[in-house]
Amino acid sequence: MTEAQTETLTVAQALVRFLAAQHVERDGRRERFFAGCLGIFGHGNVAGLGQALAQYEDLLPYHPARNEQAMVHVAAGYARQRNRLAAWACTTSVGPGATNLVTGAALATINRLPVLLLPGDTFATRYPHPVLQQLEVPHDATISVNDCLRPVSRFYERVERPEQLIPAALEAMRVLTDPAETGAVTLALPEDVQAEAFAVPTAFLAPRTWTVYRQPPAPEAVHAAANVVRAARRPLIIAGGGVIYSEATEALRAFVDATGIPVAETQAGRGALVSDHPLSLGAVGATGTAAANRLAREADVVIGIGTRWSDFTTASKSAFQDEGVRFVNINVTGFDAAKLSGVAVVADASEALGALGDALEGYRAPEEWHALAAEQSAAWAGEVARLVSTPGHELPSQAQVIGAINDAAGETGVVVCAAGSAPGDLHKLWHARDPAGKGYHVEYGYSCMGYEIPGGMGVKLAAPEREVFVLIGDGSYLMLPGELVTAVAERIPIVIVLVDNHGYASIGALSRSVGSAGFGTHYRFAANGSLPVDDAAGDGLAQPAGSLPVDLAANAESLGARVIRARTIDDLRAALARVGGDSVSDGGPTVICIETDRYASVPGYDSWWDVPVAETSTQETVRAARAEYERNSSAQRQFLRGSL
Ligand SMILES: Cc1ncc(C[n+]2csc(CCOP(=O)(O)OP(=O)(O)O)c2C)c(N)n1
Ligand SMILES: [Mg+2]
């Protein structure tokens, strides 16, 4: 194969030049796809990609991270905030640097967010094998630790010859920019190949635009869906992340105003309809509102838009109890559209909403249903007001903390969260105000402890004009605090509210609900620990029995963050007001630490989550929990009713 014009470059240089030249276009708006490259160097990438990134620093900005998993979280947060129309590349060394990517890659793929992973790999020539950090598999010389990335990547390729870069890079871009296929893409780069030069066709290096077309629905699918909806007496929309990624929030609102169909939301779809809309029911499912779960139980037609129907959304398939309930699934991915035996409308959300809206011309949901939705929605607003103003016993409640952040965030702020008890509380309590649905960012596909800080950094990089509020528990904080240093170094002004309830409160509550009394979810000394409990810090100051002498505020301070210690909700509100302006102007993260009441939790509202309880036990609490489990699981449905 020959190309008229070539340029001699190393594989790494050609890749960096290629990445810098990629663009994405949707609705006539064309933008550069890669914001830059995040990385940590080791022998597996410093000479190849490291050299290329240094040589072309002006083309593709490079930012060093502190932990490979965290840098993928930064990339995922960024891609989500940009509605998947922009991304980061992430480079690592071989071995532990590469395997640290696995969790981040799984998170990106599960949430369908584009990230490009560029782990180094061991020599294609095999000459110096085994190299430092190499896994040796005696029966298969082609395996390296990077193979761990295969199941969590939407496209995977090991570039073993220079020429292979060209088809690999093009395929990577196709997958990254396809809304139906996107997720983590891995190009593993053997360290010798990275540094090898070859004749690169200049056409490969030239600017290239990937058009993200809005897939229209098949007319027959719209017809079938409209027939189902027209017959509905109690229709309900469940809006997922696809509504927001497709920038279809305006189309959703128009559809709702025309049809009078109420809207409940998944975690990724939270905020698809502003909370003030009279037909907004808020969160649905295991962490749903009383309003949404009531209507879900009675709905006879459920229109899922851009949702992958996770167990939290369906309350483990117990949320929908109407005997003949039917589903209409609008989704850009056929895989999701086919779920729950739904009428599959494989299409972009705004295209499908437009077409379905036209096909439903003149249809209105019955008045009683409409009235029930409005009444339930108003009642729920009252419950939220009660919860966010109810303190814990001696300490503030997490609901109060959320109320304070919600007020500080206003219409343009963004809340970022991922794991612990906060996602469920946020799902229920958050008052969504941004019409584009970009004010609520809870990563709940992977619900990964440690996502919060780097994810929030990614959001801020993607939307510097917005205030970003990261809500993080003590457990999540301890799992991955190191990226705070990157936020300091890169002057990323996020506000982190660190809620300390001394352990894994969410899992403690779950443990109690399955009869196991919170076993293993408190931070405390081991029963036979060598440190005396009454003077654990050795400073003469007694510690409350069971709690550890850990000062997370001091920890954050030591990493270079500005730290504010808040004791009361008023302290927190004052701190949030103070950092408001600051955080936009002078750079760097602020951590506001507040201790909350571990047991003052927001209850569930007619919901259930399938977590199997031991079928036999010597513990009475477990036997009682099992009986309750069997009662609840009898409400689970299979939804096997297919098309007529
Ligand atoms: C990486 C990872 N490990 C384990 C879990 C399971 N898990 C979910 S929430 C949680 C506890 C989180 O503790 P914390 O951040 O303090 O929040 P809290 O539950 O106290 O609100 C655990 C262990 C998880 N989601 N992610
Ligand atoms: Mg905690």
Side-chain angles (χ1 to χ4, degrees):
M1 258 187 275
T2 53
E3 282 283 333
Q5 286 197 322
T6 61
E7 193 174 335
T8 301
L9 296 169
T10 68
V11 165
Q13 290 160 0
L15 177 57
V16 170
R17 291 267 299 274
F18 173 84
L19 297 180
Q22 302 311 299
H23 296 77
V24 159
E25 180 186 313
R26 184 166 79 179
D27 301 335
R29 285 199 311 269
R30 178 176 177 271
E31 287 183 67
R32 189 186 156 117
F33 189 62
F34 288 104
C37 183
L38 300 160
I40 296 181
F41 293 129
H43 67 90
N45 61 341
V46 71
L49 262 176
Q51 185 281 329
L53 286 161
Q55 182 167 321
Y56 295 119
E57 208 184 349
D58 51 334
L59 294 183
L60 191 73
Y62 176 75
H63 299 271
R66 270 63 189 178
N67 173 292
E68 292 86 356
Q69 176 187 322
M71 79 191 176
V72 187
H73 294 339
V74 173
Y78 185 92
R80 175 164 164 180
Q81 190 66 26
R82 293 287 306 270
N83 290 331
R84 314 192 290 197
L85 297 172
W88 286 81
C90 298
T91 173
T92 76
S93 189
V94 299
T99 49
N100 267 358
L101 292 173
V102 173
T103 298
L107 182 150
T109 293
I110 287 166
N111 286 285
R112 286 104 195 254
L113 296 169
V115 300
L116 176 62
L117 307 180
L118 304 172
D121 211 324
T122 48
F123 284 68
T125 62
R126 322 278 195 245
Y127 289 164
H129 281 188
V131 297
L132 177 69
Q133 302 168 323
Q134 176 170 342
L135 171 77
E136 291 180 274
V137 178
H139 66 271
D140 188 344
T142 68
I143 289 179
S144 81
V145 293
N146 285 346
D147 288 285
C148 292
L149 289 159
R150 287 176 188 264
V152 290
S153 297
R154 293 305 310 257
F155 175 70
Y156 177 93
E157 171 73 299
R158 181 176 295 159
V159 180
E160 305 234 289
R161 291 182 55 89
E163 302 80 359
Q164 208 185 324
L165 175 70
I166 293 170
L170 293 171
E171 195 56 18
M173 281 306 299
R174 183 188 70 75
V175 173
L176 287 167
T177 58
D178 181 340
E181 290 205 30
T182 197
V185 163
T186 301
L187 298 183
L189 303 167
E191 52 184 297
D192 50 348
V193 179
Q194 286 179 46
E196 250 180 90
F198 73 120
V200 185
T202 47
F204 175 67
L205 305 169
R208 190 176 292 260
T209 301
W210 302 81
T211 305
V212 181
Y213 294 106
R214 292 188 176 277
Q215 155 117 33
E220 302 90 318
V222 175
H223 184 72
N227 281 346
V228 170
V229 177
R230 268 191 192 284
R233 307 217 32 86
R234 297 177 301 283
L236 174 68
I237 290 168
I238 298 207
V243 176
I244 295 169
Y245 296 141
S246 152
E247 296 172 10
T249 55
E250 201 38 60
L252 175 67
R253 195 194 173 100
F255 183 87
V256 169
D257 289 341
T259 60
I261 304 179
V263 177
E265 293 166 344
T266 71
Q267 279 281 13
R270 192 77 169 82
L273 188 66
V274 290
S275 299
D276 276 339
H277 194 286
L279 291 177
S280 160
L281 305 168
V284 72
T287 52
T289 67
N293 286 347
R294 163 82 190 270
L295 273 84
R297 197 172 342 114
E298 295 177 21
D300 60 355
V301 169
V302 182
I303 307 168
I305 312 174
T307 170
R308 41 182 214 109
W309 292 116
S310 82
D311 65 344
F312 265 73
T313 298
T314 65
S316 303
K317 306 222 165 113
S318 72
F320 309 105
Q321 287 297 327
D322 180 81
E323 187 88 32
V325 62
R326 299 290 310 273
F327 294 85
V328 170
N329 297 328
I330 296 172
N331 206 295
V332 76
T333 307
F335 178 75
D336 292 315
K339 290 175 179 172
L340 310 182
S341 308
V343 176
V345 182
V346 179
D348 166 80
S350 61
E351 289 284 318
L353 278 165
L356 189 58
D358 290 347
L360 286 172
E361 178 89 56
Y363 169 84
R364 281 293 287 175
E367 195 47 47
E368 323 78 87
W369 182 245
H370 207 261
L372 177 68
E375 170 206 305
Q376 290 287 316
S377 173
W380 179 253
E383 178 67 351
V384 171
R386 185 185 73 79
L387 288 162
V388 299
S389 59
T390 307
H393 277 303
E394 282 165 14
L395 293 166
S397 67
Q398 185 160 275
Q400 285 182 293
V401 171
I402 288 172
I405 296 173
N406 212 161
D407 289 346
E411 188 176 317
T412 56
V414 188
V415 69
V416 179
C417 191
S421 55
D425 293 357
L426 279 168
H427 199 209
K428 281 177 244 190
L429 303 177
W430 191 255
H431 193 85
R433 296 191 171 98
D434 178 8
K438 299 309 296 184
Y440 183 91
H441 183 122
V442 175
E443 184 284 293
Y444 217 62
Y446 212 38
S447 187
C448 183
M449 291 169 72
Y451 173 82
E452 297 87 346
I453 293 174
M457 290 162 58
V459 172
K460 186 70 188 175
L461 290 170
E465 72 287 359
R466 290 180 186 260
E467 282 254 49
V468 174
F469 299 89
V470 171
L471 178 56
I472 184 168
D474 52 309
S476 269
Y477 177 83
L478 279 172
M479 211 168 268
L480 207 58
E483 231 46 38
L484 261 183
V485 175
T486 306
V488 171
E490 304 283 338
R491 297 180 172 280
I492 303 174
I494 52 175
V495 178
I496 297 159
V497 179
L498 168 49
V499 171
D500 192 354
N501 55 22
H502 304 287
Y504 304 152
S506 54
I507 306 298
L510 184 60
S511 163
R512 291 195 298 283
S513 78
V514 297
S516 297
F519 175 74
T521 60
H522 267 282
Y523 294 151
R524 59 176 181 192
F525 295 105
N528 60 352
S530 52
L531 287 170
V533 171
D534 61 345
D535 183 14
D539 57 5
L541 295 174
Q543 298 293 321
S547 78
L548 291 179
V550 175
D551 185 343
L552 297 180
N555 178 274
E557 227 156 31
S558 78
L559 298 178
R562 185 190 306 116
V563 170
I564 302 174
R565 293 167 170 82
R567 218 173 39 77
T568 65
I569 282 297
D570 287 343
D571 290 349
L572 173 64
R573 286 183 174 273
L576 286 168
R578 203 157 78 233
V579 293
D582 266 3
S583 66
V584 177
S585 58
D586 83 338
T590 302
V591 180
I592 306 175
C593 299
I594 184 160
E595 214 183 322
T596 59
D597 184 336
R598 182 184 172 95
Y599 298 103
S601 51
V602 177
Y605 294 84
D606 297 319
S607 63
W608 179 63
W609 184 33
D610 189 347
V611 177
V613 180
E615 211 166 344
T616 175
S617 172
T618 55
Q619 294 167 294
E620 173 49 36
T621 48
V622 174
R623 290 200 297 275
R626 177 69 197 192
E628 168 84 3
Y629 176 76
E630 283 169 15
R631 261 194 309 282
N632 283 321
S633 55
S634 68
Q636 263 176 324
R637 313 265 317 263
Q638 290 195 73
F639 307 120
L640 299 177
R641 192 168 164 213
S643 300
L644 299 174

